[in-house]
Amino acid sequence: MAGHSKWANIKHRKGRQDAKRSKLWSKCSRAIIAAAKAGGPDPAANLTLRYAIEDAKSQNMPKDTIEKAVAKGAGAGEGADYEEILYEGYGPAGVAVMLEILTDNRNRTAPEVRKIFEKAGGALGASNSVAFQFERKGELLLEPDAGTEDQVMELALEAGAEDVESSDDGHRIVTEPTDFLAVRQALDAADIAPAWAGIRMLPVNTAACSGKDAEKFLRFLDDLEDHDDIQAVHHNAEIPDD
């Protein structure tokens, strides 16, 4: 069974994603364009593109919008050249933060992100200063009516999942990144649509963050998520449900 704080964090994340849908679609499009431009427009031959498309689907991005982004990325010489960067640092209350960046101008992005950290009383760190506190995993979230705990567990584990956790809030499936697509396909075959699915940096341990610290951290999180070059924000804050 999943702990209360873990499901509270998931609900916080899901709620924030729902509130920023248009911004997320823009970022999904950028990821798809960059992946198609770098590795070609065929998801079967371009795993990065396939992950980007799966992420876009999880954000309920329309099929035609996804197809337009792929086509734009496949256009020879069209659009900006994006660079993928990982930024690491500590935010309010000592929360560890990892950022996935997709930028066409590193010299612009770095000082802007550093300013967001400094404004919140945090600081960007050197490479690997925070990464050891996270593991890259596939994560799929299912609504409670997707099936019983035993049914979901049997289906997911047979498809190669690493772990399944269930609570009144739903089911959470964790996979190795290499097994993510197989588990997603098994769910699709069973007509189970995840509420969210993607590859994330999951924290090994969490840092308690409540009261004024939580309020400050959530404002910091808003500023990070509003930045156009920041594709994903991963953190180890343990935020209460209330």
Side-chain angles (χ1 to χ4, degrees):
M1 296 292 287
H4 167 78
S5 62
K6 183 178 293 182
W7 285 99
N9 285 351
I10 287 171
K11 286 197 286 185
H12 276 296
R13 187 206 317 160
K14 186 69 168 59
R16 298 173 70 79
Q17 288 173 333
D18 290 342
K20 295 173 179 279
R21 187 68 64 201
S22 61
K23 174 76 74 173
L24 284 167
W25 284 1
S26 176
K27 293 184 178 187
C28 286
S29 289
R30 179 183 287 202
I32 291 169
I33 291 168
K37 188 168 186 178
D42 182 5
N46 183 346
L47 190 58
T48 301
L49 176 60
R50 194 166 179 184
Y51 283 148
I53 290 173
E54 289 294 333
D55 189 29
K57 288 179 178 177
S58 290
Q59 303 297 348
N60 296 316
M61 192 168 168
K63 183 179 179 181
D64 63 335
T65 307
I66 293 173
E67 291 173 349
K68 286 177 183 176
V70 173
K72 185 174 181 179
E78 293 184 12
D81 289 321
Y82 292 108
E83 179 183 8
E84 294 182 46
I85 313 171
L86 278 178
Y87 284 170
E88 308 172 33
Y90 287 94
V95 173
V97 179
M98 292 196 68
L99 306 176
E100 294 185 48
I101 306 289
L102 201 54
T103 179
D104 59 355
N105 187 341
R106 179 195 288 252
N107 293 331
R108 179 199 66 236
T109 303
E112 289 177 353
V113 173
R114 184 176 293 110
K115 185 175 180 180
I116 294 173
F117 272 83
E118 291 174 351
K119 176 185 173 184
L124 276 177
S127 180
N128 295 319
S129 61
V130 166
F132 69 93
Q133 300 184 56
F134 293 83
E135 294 179 325
R136 196 165 188 83
K137 299 287 185 179
E139 184 184 51
L140 304 98
L141 308 179
L142 311 183
E143 298 292 351
D145 60 3
T148 67
E149 181 176 1
D150 288 342
Q151 289 170 337
V152 172
M153 183 173 292
E154 181 179 3
L155 176 65
L157 295 180
E158 283 186 359
E162 181 179 286
D163 190 26
V164 179
E165 302 172 342
S166 298
S167 79
D168 292 340
D169 293 297
H171 310 281
R172 175 176 179 264
I173 301 171
V174 177
T175 78
E176 288 294 332
T178 51
D179 296 321
F180 169 76
L181 289 174
V183 174
R184 179 65 193 263
Q185 288 166 355
L187 293 175
D188 288 343
D191 291 325
I192 298 175
W196 188 89
I199 307 294
R200 290 187 54 78
M201 299 296 293
L202 300 180
V204 176
N205 296 297
T206 57
C209 189
S210 59
K212 292 189 179 300
D213 282 339
E215 292 175 6
K216 188 174 183 180
F217 178 75
L218 290 174
R219 288 195 297 270
F220 168 65
L221 202 54
D222 268 332
D223 289 340
L224 291 175
E225 291 175 344
D226 281 340
H227 195 287
D228 289 338
D229 295 341
I230 297 176
Q231 290 293 113
V233 181
H234 311 286
H235 62 81
N236 71 341
E238 182 180 306
I239 303 171
D241 203 5
D242 49 14

